[in-house]
Amino acid sequence: MGKVLSASEAREGNEISPNSILVENGVYKLYYHSYLNGKRRIGMATSSDGITWTKNVNNPIVEVGAAGAYDDQYVVEPRVFKLGTGNYRMYYSARRLSPDTHLLTYATSTDGNAWTKSNQILDIPPTMGTGGGIIKDGNEWHIWYAPDWNFTHYAKSADGLDWTIGVNNPVLKSSTAPSGAPDSSYLGDSVSGYLAGNEFRVLFYMSVFDSTMVRR
């Protein structure tokens, strides 16, 4: 099939990184981040068949903040949920350049297209590896995140906003043996997750010493 979406807008540079998708009334809504001149922004595209995509005319739908803001360097790794009619929530990672700070925050929307930043930093340790694997299971929220690129941690919440850190953290660590294991350099970047029946499945990037990226 080949590529179906590429960096084509002024602020997208040379990166399109798809992170989250919703399907509503036969329409696919894809949320992604792009990269240009050291900054990453969140965009959106829609499709009726998952192959031919039209980018939102208002991209980027979440823009980096002003200099000195908690998100002046990038907003990345959107994870989007529809919580009810006219109630959407997008979790994403933010980075401030100076001092270098990584945070997890969220935005809200009434239609999944136009978004408003909450400017609320979630009470989870700063994520060095960007992105969180977030799953809503009934009335309970779960997140897997990486406060360090060598570890993945877990937290849970009743509302997706106030989180309780897991007592058995870290739940996943980089391998120390054998030498040269595919996750021996780090693991935990771009964490995502989904529920398959009763099984939680968490995906992440990991790397060996040559920084080759491998998805598992």
Side-chain angles (χ1 to χ4, degrees), residues 43-177:
M44 175 190 176
T46 58
S47 173
S48 61
D49 58 8
I51 299 173
T52 302
W53 293 88
T54 301
K55 292 179 179 178
N56 192 305
V57 295
N58 295 315
N59 278 345
I61 56 172
V62 181
E63 176 65 282
V64 295
Y70 67 90
D71 58 354
D72 66 359
Q73 187 66 9
Y74 63 51
V75 288
V76 295
E77 301 282 346
R79 308 285 186 260
V80 180
F81 297 85
K82 184 176 182 180
L83 305 181
T85 302
N87 184 10
Y88 297 78
R89 185 185 300 169
M90 175 196 294
Y91 296 92
Y92 60 95
S93 296
R95 180 186 180 189
R96 178 171 53 206
L97 181 60
S98 181
D100 191 358
T101 308
H102 298 248
L103 303 164
L104 185 66
T105 183
Y106 70 98
T108 59
S109 174
T110 59
D111 59 6
N113 301 314
W115 294 85
T116 301
K117 294 179 182 179
S118 69
N119 294 318
Q120 179 180 345
I121 306 305
L122 299 182
D123 53 348
I124 293 176
T127 54
M128 292 299 292
T130 58
I134 304 173
I135 296 174
K136 187 178 186 299
D137 182 22
N139 294 321
E140 192 166 50
W141 293 78
H142 307 267
I143 184 171
W144 292 265
Y145 62 98
D148 183 282
W149 277 334
N150 292 312
F151 306 97
T152 297
H153 288 215
Y154 166 79
K156 66 179 180 179
S157 172
D159 60 5
L161 302 177
D162 296 313
W163 294 85
T164 300
I165 306 301
V167 297
N168 295 316
N169 284 330
V171 295
L172 198 62
K173 301 179 182 179
S174 293
S175 298
T176 57

